[in-house]
Amino acid sequence: MLECIRIVLIGTSHPGNIGGVARAMHNMGLADLALVAPRCEIITQDSISRASGADHLLHQASVHATLEEAVTDCTLAVGASARSRTLPWPMLTPREVADRLPGECQTPDSRVALVFGREDSGLTNAELQRCHAHVHIPTNADFSSLNLAAAVQVLAYECRMAWLSQQDAAPAPDADDELALVTHEELERYFEHLERTLITIEFHDPAQPRQLMARLRRLYLRARPEKMEMNILRGILSATEKAAGK
Amino acid sequence: MLECIRIVLIGTSHPGNIGGVARAMHNMGLADLALVAPRCEIITQDSISRASGADHLLHQASVHATLEEAVTDCTLAVGASARSRTLPWPMLTPREVADRLPGECQTPDSRVALVFGREDSGLTNAELQRCHAHVHIPTNADFSSLNLAAAVQVLAYECRMAWLSQQDAAPAPDADDELALVTHEELERYFEHLERTLITIEFHDPAQPRQLMARLRRLYLRARPEKMEMNILRGILSATEKAAGK
């Protein structure tokens, strides 16, 4: 599914942002980067530095004269947009875009384009109207313009989350032995030992219980101790009894 | 809810990253930035340029010598981490962290810390062990290191999504006073008292620690004691010391 997703950047003007986009893409497992009429060099010291090891995506990136050309083989194109436009368009959240991906990417040659505009002015109305839907990243109304690489990061993250939940059919790995939870019986034996010890150190008076044991039960039941932790807790009780001279 | 979230950066070395973090935070409606032992200047041309209009967050940022100091009033601290550590810790996805926020931020003075490490080496084990849980942003296994501002962007985005979905929900009931969670500082004082007591009863040998305190930290951080429970736990330690004839 991730191999079906193309990130399209239109008219980018800062090489550092292209590098940051490459890094965000590679982090999330995306590889298909298309640049439409970039307004800067692609391979620069700044773009390579910000790519931070993902600069192969810069070298592999396709360059196009128009959006049209960059998305010609795509079955779905979604344009990143601020919320309000004169002509209302289907508007999705990043999560809703991601939710649609499994259905869109059923064959290896399916292609979905996520289209991002210029740093200063975003996508034009003509470009937005070439997209099936628009995606709006929810933001602070007073400060709504995300950095380009940050916007790609959010969308790419949602793509990866959707891809991961698709993998969830796979069986979970065996639990680590150390992480095995204790049984009910082991926990009850601990509570008995704890109560005896608290009486020994004169912290607990069964004649005046004041819900003490109930409160301690609630605490340890909530913590759900593992076997190794239970061994430690039992060991502390034994050491306490010994130190108290019992 | 968003005003309860503190972004904590430890040992950041690039001013541009701090600026990028400020922009990501302000875009998502977060404002509380804490810097622990930064390894660079905070207000520079680069940080102001990357903040891109959010530089008031740089000026407002609090600066601390230690993580301890930065999270002292927080009831929940979540550390960003790569997946595997020698001692497994509760591990959450960014979405799971966000899902917990409405419950965590019921009063205006609740504070939740999201803690991010150094660009080159992340958080130390000692720092991670001061956190209740760890958060792992799912990444490409071959290229897992996100840019610092990109990592903050993903978490801040999930915080905003959780906040937005809370706007539809009914108001939360008043929190029971007894159920007030303890602060980080109270918990740390408990761990100090616990360690002293375990040495007194000869259960713990600081010369041969065998991860004992780390395991106990993990248990009690997971249990998230309430104030009343903490009073009981402290009382047990005092009674133990007394019974041991100290």
Side-chain angles (χ1 to χ4, degrees), chain B residues 4-7 74-76 78 101 104-105 110-114:
Chain B
C4 299
I5 299 166
R6 179 174 302 155
I7 299 293
C74 295
T75 50
L76 177 70
V78 181
L101 292 176
E104 297 292 336
C105 304
S110 304
R111 282 294 172 278
V112 171
L114 304 179

Side-chain angles (χ1 to χ4, degrees), chain A residues 124-152:
Chain A
T124 64
N125 282 336
E127 288 158 354
L128 282 165
Q129 290 172 11
R130 292 201 176 273
C131 295
H132 297 86
H134 299 163
V135 55
H136 173 73
I137 299 174
T139 52
N140 185 346
D142 300 331
F143 189 68
S144 63
S145 170
L146 269 79
N147 168 261
L148 178 59
V152 171

Side-chain angles (χ1 to χ4, degrees), chain A residues 54-205:
Chain A
D55 47 295
H56 57 292
L57 293 199
L58 302 177
H59 291 282
Q60 288 166 16
S62 61
V63 181
H64 308 271
T66 63
L67 171 59
E68 199 56 26
E69 189 185 308
V71 300
T72 186
D73 57 341
C74 295
T75 49
L76 177 70
V78 181
S81 169
R83 194 176 290 277
S84 61
R85 290 278 160 178
T86 41
L87 187 64
W89 216 257
M91 182 65 88
L92 305 173
T93 66
R95 194 156 300 162
E96 288 165 343
V97 172
D99 288 345
R100 288 179 62 167
L101 292 175
E104 297 291 335
C105 305
Q106 304 217 10
T107 66
D109 54 337
S110 305
R111 283 294 173 278
V112 171
L114 304 179
V115 185
F116 297 84
R118 297 152 194 85
E119 288 98 332
D120 47 358
S121 58
L123 295 169
T124 64
N125 282 336
E127 288 158 354
L128 282 165
Q129 290 172 11
R130 292 201 176 273
C131 295
H132 297 86
H134 299 163
V135 55
H136 173 73
I137 299 174
T139 52
N140 185 346
D142 300 331
F143 189 68
S144 63
S145 170
L146 269 79
N147 168 261
L148 178 59
V152 171
Q153 178 69 65
V154 168
L155 265 296
Y157 161 74
E158 285 285 7
C159 292
R160 188 169 189 86
M161 289 295 282
W163 176 71
L164 284 172
S165 63
Q166 212 190 13
Q167 314 298 303
D168 272 355
D174 282 353
D176 186 332
D177 205 41
E178 184 190 326
L179 294 179
L181 293 175
V182 298
T183 63
H184 187 81
E185 192 192 352
E186 289 165 314
L187 209 47
E188 289 304 316
R189 264 191 273 130
Y190 172 69
F191 288 132
E192 285 164 24
H193 193 175
L194 178 61
E195 183 160 18
R196 280 201 311 278
T197 307
L198 295 182
I199 294 169
T200 300
I201 64 171
E202 296 177 4
F203 184 75
H204 175 46
D205 177 2

